Amino acid sequence: MLQKNACLLVIGNEILSGRTQDANTQVLARALNAQGIRLLEVRVIPDIEDHIVQTVTECRARFDILFTCGGIGPTHDDITAECIAKAMGVPLLRHEPTFQKLEALMGKEKFNTARQRMAMFPEGAVPIENAISAAPGFSIGNVHVMAGVPSIFASMVDALVPQLEKGPPLTSVSWHAAGLKEGDFADDLRRLQDKFPGIDLGSYPYGLTDGTKGTALVAKGYDAEAVTTVGPLLHDLIMAHGREPVSGDPPHKA
C-alpha cells in the first residue's frame, strides 16, 4: 500500500509574532500517525493573500494531502477561504446549508454580516464538522481547511481524519538509559540506520527532575516488522556501551 503524505500550513501573524504558540501540529500529527498518513512538512505563513495563495498552490501539488489551520473566522484578517478559492481557481460562494445552520443557531439578529463570512466556501467545497462552535471548516480537492483555535481544530481533526484513506499506522519502539551520551554511540546508530533505511532512528537526550541525565533511542516507521526487528538492536547497542536499557520513554522529562 502506497503511503500517503501530508503538509500542514499554519496560517496567522500571531504565530509568527510569538503572541500565540502553535498547539495544532502535534494534534494533527498524532491523528495522522494513527491513520497511517505521514506528516512530512509544516509551514507557518502570514495572513498575506499572495503568500497564502502561492503556498497553497505549491503545496497542494507537491503533497498528497494539504491541511491548513487559521484564518476562517469572522474578522477582517480571516482571509483563508478567499485565498483557497483563488488558489483553486473557483469563486467564493455562500454555502447555503452552512448559512442556514449558523443562522438557526445564532438567531437572525446575532448572525450579522461578519458572522455570515463563516458560511462562505470555495465553490464545490464540503463542510468539515465542528462539534465545539458549529462553524465548520471545509474540504475541496486534497485541501482541508480548519480553524486555528486549538479546541475547535481538534474537533475538526476528529471529524475529518478518520474519513481519510487509511494506511499502516506509525509504529515505534524506544529504549532509554541513564548516563548514555550521544557522542558514544553516534557511529553505531548511523550504521544501524544504513541497514534499515525505511525507518527513522533517533536519539533524544533528556534530563529528569532528580538531576539524572541520559538518552533515549527511538525507532519509528510504517513497517511494523522492521521496527520490531530494530527494537532489540537498540537494546543491544545501549548494552554495548555499558548502560542499562529501560524500555519506553524516560519518565518526568524536565
Side-chain angles (χ1 to χ4, degrees), residues 3-10 22 24-33 36-43 63 65-67 153 170 200 222:
Q3 197 80 47
K4 296 287 187 180
N5 61 55
C7 174
L8 170 64
L9 301 183
V10 181
D22 169 50
N24 294 333
T25 298
Q26 185 181 54
V27 170
L28 179 63
R30 286 179 171 174
L32 293 180
N33 288 344
I37 299 170
R38 185 173 186 180
L39 184 61
L40 278 182
E41 190 169 309
V42 178
R43 301 189 189 186
F63 298 94
I65 308 170
L66 175 62
F67 301 92
F153 178 83
L170 184 72
D200 295 326
Y222 297 92

Side-chain angles (χ1 to χ4, degrees), residues 50-113:
D50 290 346
H51 199 134
I52 297 172
V53 172
Q54 180 179 348
T55 306
V56 168
T57 300
E58 174 191 345
C59 291
R60 76 182 185 93
R62 181 179 173 189
F63 298 94
D64 296 321
I65 308 170
L66 175 62
F67 301 92
T68 77
C69 66
I72 60 171
T75 60
H76 73 282
D77 58 344
D78 289 316
I79 61 173
T80 299
E82 295 96 316
C83 294
I84 298 294
K86 288 187 177 183
M88 304 296 286
V90 298
L92 189 70
L93 303 175
R94 189 168 91 177
H95 187 261
E96 197 61 34
T98 296
F99 185 93
Q100 298 296 336
K101 180 178 180 179
L102 293 178
E103 184 179 55
L105 180 69
M106 298 179 189
K108 289 187 177 182
E109 291 185 0
K110 291 185 178 181
F111 193 47
N112 56 26
T113 302

